[in-house]
Amino acid sequence: MAEKKYIVTITRQFGSLGRPIAWEMSEILGIEYYDRDIVEETSKKMNLPVSKISEHEETYSTNLFSMLLPLGSDSIAKQDEIYNVQKQIIREMAEKESCIIVGRCADYIFRDHRNVLNIYIYAPVDARYKNCVEVLKMKPEEATKMIYKVDKARTAYHKRYAKYAPGDPDSKQIMIDSSMLGVRGTAEILAEIVQKRFGL
């Protein structure tokens, strides 16, 4: 029997193309996909510009954690506030309908939810570098820097709020190398797993 409502969370390495894979999955499954919408909703609720939310989000959090108190205390307090607002928004989104949620510790937020599938998307660094340059149109030197910087930041963010690393196998049901089948192929395989898991 099909479950009424379910949640898919996507945690990903930078350059593994987790976001386009999530989007493709949402198209195949006919469900909502939330990523930047969470930022926009947070911006409205907190009455802050989207750019300010993004500054404090998972992608940019490394600098905050490396700051020494009290210099960084305001930034860390702001990030905590943003995390708590986003957590509420994510729960409200999932309450309404089946959906895919990218990043933002959603795997941890829904750790006690019955109908959740947690996916980790990764790829070898060479494949991620190629994706950054060819797909995301980054300059080669920028790609190398961003892979290191964003992965480090996401790990710090995840460990701060979830208390474990983004790719921790104990918190995931599926871990997949996106370079094996590409965006469409990975999305199709994952959508098929979702359908089987929830009896769709």
Side-chain angles (χ1 to χ4, degrees), residues 176-195:
I176 190 165
D177 175 357
S178 61
S179 70
M180 184 172 58
L181 298 169
V183 171
R184 183 69 193 180
T186 305
E188 285 171 351
I189 290 287
L190 291 173
E192 193 179 329
I193 291 169
V194 170
Q195 287 163 338

Side-chain angles (χ1 to χ4, degrees), residues 121-135:
I121 297 172
Y122 66 95
V125 73
D126 291 352
R128 294 195 285 140
Y129 172 82
K130 195 175 173 202
N131 289 336
C132 286
V133 174
E134 293 178 8
V135 182

